[in-house]
Amino acid sequence: MKKILITGAAGFLGSHLCDRFIAEGFDVVGMDNLITGDLNNISHLFPLSNFEFHHHDVTKFVHVSGKLDYILHFASPASPIDYLKIPIKTLKVGSLGTLNLLGLAKEKGARILVASTSEVYGDPLVHPQNEEYFGNVNPIGPRGVYDEAKRFMESITMAYHRHHGLDTRIVRIFNTYGSRMRLNDGRVVPAFMGQALRGEDLTVFGDGSQSRSFCYIDDQVEGIYRLLFSDYTDPVNIGNPHETTIKEFAEEIIALTGTKQKVIYKPLPQDDPTQRQPDITKAKEILGWEPKVHRAEGLKIVYDYFKSLSPEELQKKEHRDFSTK
Ligand SMILES: NC(=O)c1ccc[n+]([C@@H]2O[C@H](COP(=O)([O-])OP(=O)(O)OC[C@H]3O[C@@H](n4cnc5c(N)ncnc54)[C@H](O)[C@@H]3O)[C@@H](O)[C@H]2O)c1
């Protein structure tokens, strides 16, 4: 059996990746320090003999016994609310954490795929964003802690690839949504759904003319899976190119949820990108991948998921206290 280490395993994307690799018959080692993740996302895997969980901070030395064939490095705070609350930890997991995992990959002769982000393009001057675009990032702005950590992650990954011949892959993930997200972590889809479920007005930052594109989790996991098993070592965008403005999107959520509330407007946060749309030509050509799930279909699945949670479960999806971590 092939063995894979997945960091950030208790998080949104990591937990869905654990499910996929278990379903494909891998031995899966999940690793997480639970700073933004939740063990409930993977507790269904605990009884399985081909799953083990390591409660560990990847910015410290990482050890996994025995052979290791693949590493997926997904540990990192990912939402603006999270990384603005824990900026230094965000920089450390992208830098020291990545360094530790590259070292482990080298020691084990494993292939490593690292989770980068569309945020490496910053507030883009090229639209849609293709992989050749270098980005427009403010290194000293509040969001720089995330964007620059990921840019460093890409840089050191390519250095290990070129200098040590390490077998590496880089995925640039665009906004992805699905079950297991937290309701108040600042990401648009769960934020709007949480507000609709609580009967609150939907908050749009700025005038709502900024654009986003949202990829359903199953499509994202499929893209990552195909990239891992491809021969391609430069970064690849994985995301849904179907773009919408935030204002239109808020109205879609109002129609889907049937909420009687309205849209309210608040000032735009600093360095919030005005547009975001992946050019997925490479993913199509190299991986034969493109998203399959329409936004209306994916949003309904996720809204039904949140509605199916008990009040206690929903409450848990609201609260996050980093002060004790
Ligand atoms: N969800 C998206 O739309 C999106 C978009 C672009 C990139 N990404 C990337 O995908 C990855 C996962 O994002 P997510 O949306 O699942 O976020 P998430 O917060 O749900 O999951 C991240 C996980 O990493 C863990 N973690 C953080 N620091 C750690 C450390 N030092 N050691 C061990 N574990 C640590 C957290 O506890 C959490 O379980 C991140 O690297 C993120 O940058 C996600």
Side-chain angles (χ1 to χ4, degrees):
M1 250 199 236
K2 295 285 186 195
K3 185 164 161 186
I4 186 165
L5 167 66
I6 301 179
T7 75
F12 162 54
L13 273 166
S15 63
H16 284 281
L17 286 164
C18 287
D19 286 347
R20 174 66 186 263
F21 280 88
I22 288 285
E24 299 284 348
F26 283 71
D27 262 341
V28 176
V29 179
M31 186 172 284
D32 205 297
N33 68 351
L34 304 180
I35 190 156
T36 62
D38 184 350
L39 274 187
N40 286 320
N41 290 338
I42 45 171
S43 53
H44 58 287
L45 302 175
F46 290 167
L48 304 179
S49 58
N50 57 335
F51 182 77
E52 60 186 86
F53 179 68
H54 294 206
H55 187 180
H56 184 69
D57 178 345
V58 299
T59 67
K60 311 271 160 46
F61 179 77
V62 180
H63 170 73
V64 174
S65 59
K67 69 152 197 167
L68 199 54
D69 301 291
Y70 302 100
I71 298 174
L72 297 183
H73 179 31
F74 277 67
S76 170
S79 85
I81 287 189
D82 290 344
Y83 59 70
L84 295 177
K85 265 191 206 156
I86 42 175
I88 314 278
K89 285 184 190 328
T90 302
L91 280 157
K92 282 170 86 173
V93 73
S95 53
L96 299 178
T98 305
L99 186 66
N100 286 336
L101 289 152
L102 290 165
L104 181 68
K106 184 164 169 276
E107 176 203 330
K108 302 279 186 185
R111 176 177 299 177
I112 179 167
L113 179 150
V114 298
S116 185
T117 167
S118 55
E119 302 298 326
V120 298
Y121 300 122
D123 191 0
L125 306 174
V126 163
H127 195 71
Q129 295 80 57
N130 60 39
E131 290 86 345
E132 276 65 47
Y133 178 50
F134 295 158
N136 176 36
V137 170
N138 174 1
I140 57 163
R143 300 174 70 111
V145 300
Y146 182 66
D147 306 359
E148 294 295 358
K150 292 294 187 179
R151 288 167 71 95
F152 176 83
M153 164 192 266
E154 290 198 8
S155 185
I156 195 167
T157 299
M158 286 313 289
Y160 265 72
H161 175 68
R162 294 195 183 105
H163 191 70
H164 291 305
L166 196 70
D167 195 10
T168 57
R169 304 287 181 274
I170 300 173
V171 58
R172 288 189 183 148
I173 301 168
F174 282 67
N175 260 333
T176 299
Y177 68 96
S179 60
R180 301 179 188 158
M181 294 184 91
R182 278 170 293 129
L183 287 172
N184 59 349
D185 72 1
R187 294 193 255 195
V188 183
V189 175
F192 282 170
M193 286 194 181
Q195 289 178 320
L197 282 166
R198 291 188 299 269
E200 296 168 5
D201 290 335
L202 271 59
T203 314
V204 165
F205 294 97
D207 63 2
S209 62
Q210 67 274 40
S211 75
R212 294 291 183 273
S213 55
F214 302 103
C215 183
Y216 185 61
I217 182 68
D218 291 0
D219 284 332
Q220 184 62 245
V221 166
E222 180 63 27
I224 293 165
Y225 191 85
R226 288 189 190 201
L227 177 60
L228 180 68
F229 296 110
S230 77
D231 292 331
Y232 195 73
T233 53
D234 281 347
V236 178
N237 290 338
I238 299 286
N240 192 320
H242 191 180
E243 199 182 11
T244 175
T245 67
I246 293 292
K247 187 170 182 299
E248 282 164 354
F249 186 60
E251 279 150 15
E252 255 177 65
I253 296 284
I254 288 178
L256 167 74
T257 59
T259 174
K260 299 281 174 289
Q261 306 307 123
K262 56 184 189 313
V263 176
I264 55 165
Y265 295 88
K266 287 196 178 164
L268 204 59
Q270 190 184 339
D271 298 329
D272 195 47
T274 45
Q275 38 185 13
R276 191 51 95 236
Q277 186 192 22
D279 179 335
I280 59 164
T281 311
K282 269 206 174 126
K284 278 187 185 161
E285 284 175 8
I286 296 165
L287 312 177
W289 176 90
E290 62 183 314
K292 298 260 181 302
V293 180
H294 288 285
R295 195 163 64 234
E297 192 189 336
L299 289 175
K300 181 160 179 358
I301 299 171
V302 178
Y303 186 57
D304 288 347
Y305 158 79
F306 282 125
K307 271 200 311 188
S308 75
L309 298 179
S310 67
E312 295 73 38
E313 287 168 327
L314 264 185
Q315 177 79 5
K316 278 196 197 140
K317 293 245 159 250
E318 295 281 354
H319 277 290
R320 226 40 250 196
D321 180 8
F322 296 117
S323 56
T324 54
K325 305 244 176 180

